[in-house]
Amino acid sequence: MPDSDQLAPLVGRTAEMAALRALFGDRAVVAIVGDPGIGKTRLLTELLAEARRGGRVVLSGHGSEFEREVPFGVFRNALEDHLRAWPESRWAGLDPADRRLLPSVFPTLAAGGRGQETGLVAAERYRLHRAVRALLEDIAGPAGLVLAFDDLHWGDDSSMEMLDHLLRHPPRAPVVVALAYRSRQAPERLHQAFARAAQQGWGTTVDVGPLSVAEAGALLPAGLSPARREELYRASGGNPFYLEVLASCRAADGSAGDATSDPVRAALAGEFARLEPLCRQVLYAAAVAGDECDPGMLASVAGLPEAEVHVALDGLARRDLIRAGATPGGFRFRHPLLRSAAYYNAGAGWRLGAHARAAAELDHRRAPAEARAPHIEASAGVGDMAAVALLRTVAMDAMHATPAAAAHWLGSAVRLLPQDPTTTPLRLQLLTLRGRALGITGDLHGSQDILGEILRLVPVGSEERLTVVSFLATLRNLAGNHAEARALLAQELDRLPEQHGLTAGTLRVGLTLTSVMYGPRDTAAVSEAIRVARSTDNRPLLAYALSVAVVANQSFDVGSPHTTAWLDEAVQYVDAMPDRELAERLDTVMFLGWGELYRERFTAAHRHLRRALAIAHASGQSHLLGTLQTVLGVHGSMTGQLSPALMHLDDAMEAAVLTGTPQTQARVLGYRCWVAVWRGELDEALACGKQAVELATLGDSPDWQAGSAELTLGFARYAAGDPEAALDLLVRGGHASGRVSVRPVWQARWYQWLAAAAAAAGDDRGAAGWAERADRLPAVDGLPRRAGFIHLAQVHGTLRRDPAAAAAHAERAARSFAGAGDRLDAAQSHVYAAVAYRSMGLSATADREIAAARRGFLACEASPGWLEKMTGIPLLSPGEPALPGLLLTPRELSVLELLAESLTAATIARRLGISASTVQKHLTRLYRKLGTTDRLATVLRARKAGLLPDGE
C-alpha cells in the first residue's frame, strides 16, 4: 500500500474520511466497500497515515487475485515483516503455546527456532486464530494498532477463517481492523462475519461511490475542453481509476465503465500495445511471476537477460505501470487491476510457458513446494506425475492448518491424473483425501459429492468402501440429513453377500447410531448389532457396538435391564485396550463416555472422554474433537463445573463454526445457553438459545435437538422473568404430534422446569400437575440426579400450599444431587429448602440452607442473581463481592495452584516453562477476577470459591 506522502492530495471523500477518523477509540472494524478502482485503497492509505501520525502501530496487507491459495496470505503479507524485526525479549513475553503455534501461520518465524510440534489438528484451527488474536493484542500495546487488509475479496480461505474468528472475538485491546473489498465479489463468509460485528455495535461500513463532476475534474489534465471532460467523466462513471486510465490512454468511447468495461479494457489494451516489445514482455512476466518479484525472477519468466529486464523496468516505471515494492529490489504493479489486465492480455499460450519458467526458477532457488505449486498447477499437463506428487505433498502439508488449500491442491492433482486403470488406486487416495479436506472445511455437500464418486470406483464389501460409506454417513448426520444417512447404511447392508461379518457389524452399529439422533428406537436392531459384533471376535467393534447400544437404550428407556451390563462390558474392553487399538475405532470411547453420563457415572465418563481427546490429538482424528469437547462440556454442566464446561463448549463451538454444521452448532449453543443462565449472563443465554432454535431445525430430518433447543430457551426465559413464554416454549418443544417427544433420559429435568415455570406464573394447579407427572416416572436405581429432579419438581408443586412437604422434597433433592456429584442443582435445592423453611418461620434452619446454597454456588462459580430475585433468598454474604463471569484458564489455574504453595513468580515460571513476566500477567488477571490485591487474599478467596482444596 503506497505511502500517502508520495501521493497527490486526496480529492473529495470528506464524509468518508470523517467516518474513518471517528474510529480511533478503543476497538473497531470498518468495511470500506465499493467497485473496482473507486478509491478504496486510497482511503485505506489516508487512514493509515493518520494512524501513524497519532502514534499507533500500523500494519497492512492485501489479497491477490493470482495467489489466492497461499495459506494465511493476507495475514502473512501484513505481519511477517513486522514480526521478523522483533527482539527475542519481545517473543519471550508471549504465551509458550502461542509461540509454538504462530510459525504455522508465519513460516519465516520457524527459522528463529520458535516453531515446535504443536499437536494441531484441522478441527482445532481456532487455536491458531486465538494465538494470532493474542499476538495482535500484544502488538497493539497501549498505543493501539490499525490493521488494514486491502482487496479482501481476493483473500485466501484460511485468512477468511482467521478474520471471521477475529470479528466474532474482537481483540481485547485498542485494535482497529480496516477491510477494503468489492462487495459483489466478497465471499459470503466475509459478509456474514462483518454483519455480526455491525450487529454487535463495533462494525462500521463506509460505502465509496463515484466522485462528483467537480471532484473528478481535479484528476484530469489541465487544458482539456469542457466537452472532453464531460466525455471522460461519463465514460468513467466518476470512478477515479477508470478516469485516470481513460484520460492517459485517450481511448474512451463514451460508454459507462466498470471492472470489465469496453472503454477501460480497450484503453489498457491500447496502452500495452503501444509499449515497446521488451517492456510489454516484462510487464506480462511481472503479471505471471507474483504479487511482488525481483528482476532475476522476471528475467527467467520472460526468457530475457537480466540487463534487458532492468531497462524494461525503467520504462514501465516511467509510465507508472510498475513501482518499487515493499522489499528492496522488488517491483509490483501500481494497481491490482493493471496486473489483472496485463495477465489476461498476455495470452493463454504465453502464460502457460511463463508459469513453467516461473516454477523452474523457483525450483532452482530451492523455494518451498508451496511457492511452486501455483505455477505447477497453471502449467502442468495431464500425465505429469511429478506435478501430481508435488501437489499432493503441498496438500498434505496444508491439511491441518489450511484444509481448504489442501482440498484445492488435491483437486488439481486429480485433474492431472490420466484416465488409466493403473492410476485408479492413486485417484481413490487423492479423492478420499480431498473429500475429507472439504468435510473439515465445512463444505459437506462438496465432500459428499466426492465420496459418492469414490463409491462408484470401489467394490461392494471392500474395506475401502466401508471406510467411505461410514464417513459419508457421518457427514450426512452432521448436516442433519439423518434419513439419508440411514438409507445409505441400510442400502449398503442389503448389498453385502455376508450379513454377519466385520463389515456387516460395522454397518449395523451405524444404523443403531442413526436411531440415537433421529429415532425411532429399534430394540431388535440394537441387540442384533451386538450379536453380530460379538460373532466377529473383533474387540474394538464389539466395544463400539456395546457403547452405542448403551446410548441408544438409555435415550429411550432409562430402566432397560440390559444397559448396565452392556456398559460394564464395554468399560472392561476399553480399559483393556491400548491407545493404539482404541485409535482404530475411537468413537467407541466417545460413546462410552456419553453412555456413562447418561448413567450418572461422572468420574468414569470424564476419565474416558479425556483419554479419547488425547488419542484423537495423537492420531489426528480431527472429526471427533468437536463432539468430544461438547460431551466434556455437558459433563461440566451436569456436575456444576461451569468454568471447565464453558471452556470445552467454547472450543466445541469454534470447531462447529469451522465445519459449518448448523445442528452441531445448535447443540453446543443449547448447552452454552444453560451455562450462561447459571453464570447470571441472561442476555447471553437468551441470544444463544434463540440461535440454537433457529439452527436446530435445518436439515432434511431434524433430530431431537430441535425440541431440546426450545426447552433450553424456555429455561432461559424462565430465569429472565418471563414464565408464560417459558411455559409455551417448554410445552411446544417437548411435544410432537400431540405426544411427549422429550427423550426419557431428560424427562425428569423437563418436568421440573415445567413445574417451576408454572409456579412462577402463579399457576399452582399447573405446577402440581407437572410435578405429578414427574412423580409418575419410573424409579431407576443408580440415577440419583434423575431422582433429584423428580423431588425438585415436587417442591414447585407443593411450595405454596404445603411448605413442610416442599422442604422435605428439597432436602431429598439436595441429597440426591450431592450424591450424584451435581453441586449446582444441590445448591439450587438448598435455596428452595430455605424458601420453605422461611415460610414456616424456621429462620435458623433456613439460614443453614442459605449458607449451604452459597457455598455450592461459589464452588460452581455460579452467579444466579435471577434466582435470588425470584426467591428472595440472599445468595451473597453481606459485603461479600460476587464472582460474576469468573472463568480461569487452565494456565491461570496452574499458576493459582503453585501460588498456594507459596512459590515465587520466578519459581512458578521455571515450573511451567514460561517467563516471569508472563507469570506476573497471570497474577494480575487472577487478582482482577477474584477481586483481591495480594497473594494471600487470592489463595484464601480461591479456597473459599472451591478453586483450591482447603488448606491443612
Side-chain angles (χ1 to χ4, degrees), residues 494-849:
D494 289 342
R495 288 177 175 175
L496 290 180
E498 169 57 61
Q499 291 288 307
H500 301 286
L502 182 63
T503 299
T506 303
L507 292 172
R508 289 182 186 278
V509 178
L511 281 167
T512 299
L513 181 56
T514 63
S515 73
V516 173
M517 301 306 297
Y518 180 47
R521 178 190 179 203
D522 189 341
T523 306
V526 171
S527 298
E528 180 66 6
I530 293 176
R531 190 189 68 78
V532 172
R534 203 180 294 279
S535 70
T536 65
D537 289 328
N538 183 284
R539 184 165 64 169
L541 177 60
L542 179 54
Y544 180 44
L546 290 166
S547 299
V548 171
V550 169
V551 174
N553 233 28
Q554 191 70 6
S555 295
F556 296 100
D557 182 7
V558 293
S560 170
H562 304 292
T563 305
T564 301
W566 287 343
L567 182 59
D568 291 341
E569 186 179 3
V571 168
Q572 289 179 1
Y573 284 124
V574 167
D575 287 349
M577 282 190 275
D579 289 356
R580 172 181 38 79
E581 190 175 6
L582 277 178
E584 297 174 13
R585 206 174 291 274
L586 186 55
D587 41 3
T588 297
V589 195
M590 180 185 73
F591 285 111
L592 176 63
W594 189 350
E596 286 173 323
L597 287 183
Y598 278 178
R599 293 302 301 174
E600 299 183 13
R601 299 182 180 183
F602 297 126
T603 301
H606 190 260
R607 176 171 60 86
H608 286 127
L609 291 168
R610 294 296 301 182
R611 185 184 180 194
L613 196 64
I615 297 173
H617 277 124
S619 58
Q621 299 192 49
S622 177
H623 63 290
L624 292 177
L625 289 173
T627 305
L628 284 168
Q629 295 283 14
T630 301
V631 183
L632 280 164
V634 175
H635 172 274
S637 302
M638 295 174 76
T639 56
Q641 300 176 69
L642 296 185
S643 289
L646 188 60
M647 284 189 285
H648 287 302
L649 293 173
D650 280 348
D651 285 354
M653 191 63 198
E654 291 303 315
V657 167
L658 290 173
T659 54
T661 52
Q663 289 197 328
T664 302
Q665 292 181 48
R667 195 165 297 119
V668 179
L669 284 164
Y671 289 115
R672 285 180 65 177
C673 170
W674 187 90
V675 171
V677 167
W678 284 109
R679 285 166 56 88
E681 300 163 347
L682 296 183
D683 288 343
E684 172 72 10
L686 291 170
C688 288
K690 290 174 184 175
Q691 192 178 357
V693 171
E694 291 170 3
L695 294 172
T697 55
L698 301 179
D700 71 343
S701 46
D703 58 35
W704 58 272
Q705 184 62 33
S708 179
E710 286 192 304
L711 302 188
T712 310
L713 178 57
F715 175 59
R717 287 284 189 196
Y718 160 73
D722 191 354
E724 289 83 4
L727 274 170
D728 182 58
L729 285 163
L730 290 166
V731 171
R732 186 174 68 237
H735 291 82
S737 303
R739 301 177 60 184
V740 171
S741 57
V742 178
R743 297 284 174 86
V745 69
W746 301 117
Q747 283 180 6
R749 187 183 66 172
W750 176 53
Y751 284 129
Q752 183 259 316
W753 283 354
L754 282 163
D763 182 5
D764 292 341
R765 184 175 179 180
W770 293 118
E772 184 180 347
R773 293 194 189 189
D775 200 39
R776 288 202 299 265
L777 292 174
V780 180
D781 291 337
L783 299 181
R785 187 170 184 265
R786 179 174 178 273
F789 284 124
I790 294 172
H791 282 300
L792 202 51
Q794 309 314 305
V795 172
H796 296 298
T798 60
L799 187 57
R800 272 195 277 264
R801 59 183 173 83
D802 189 352
H809 280 297
E811 288 194 348
R812 293 190 195 106
R815 287 195 295 272
S816 295
F817 287 127
D822 180 353
R823 299 177 299 177
L824 189 59
D825 286 305
Q828 180 185 193
S829 301
H830 285 302
V831 171
Y832 284 105
V835 173
Y837 284 126
R838 273 192 170 185
S839 67
M840 296 162 62
L842 300 175
S843 300
T845 308
D847 287 346
R848 284 198 296 272
E849 294 294 328

Side-chain angles (χ1 to χ4, degrees), residues 17 102 126 225 567 632 703 780 798 899 904:
M17 283 306 303
L102 287 170
Y126 56 83
S225 68
L567 182 59
L632 280 164
D703 58 35
V780 180
T798 60
L899 192 68
T904 65

Side-chain angles (χ1 to χ4, degrees), residues 32 276 293 316 319 361 438 727 755 795 803 809:
I32 303 174
E276 296 177 2
C293 49
L316 293 170
R319 291 178 176 267
E361 174 63 17
L438 288 173
L727 274 170
V795 172
H809 280 297

Side-chain angles (χ1 to χ4, degrees), residues 345-435:
N345 207 62
W350 188 88
R351 291 198 305 267
L352 194 69
H355 278 295
R357 293 189 291 273
E361 174 63 17
L362 289 170
D363 187 36
H364 175 71
R365 296 183 179 197
R366 297 184 179 179
E370 174 190 287
R372 288 179 279 152
H375 298 291
I376 292 289
E377 178 187 36
S379 60
V382 173
D384 187 339
M385 301 308 290
V388 171
L390 181 138
L391 292 172
R392 184 189 183 282
T393 297
V394 174
M396 297 311 296
D397 289 343
M399 186 66 80
H400 290 314
T402 54
H408 173 85
W409 298 127
L410 289 165
S412 296
V414 170
R415 177 179 56 80
L416 295 177
L417 282 177
Q419 293 292 337
D420 186 316
T422 61
T423 66
T424 297
L426 179 56
R427 182 180 300 277
L428 285 173
Q429 180 191 85
L430 295 175
L431 285 171
T432 300
L433 288 169
R434 185 163 190 256

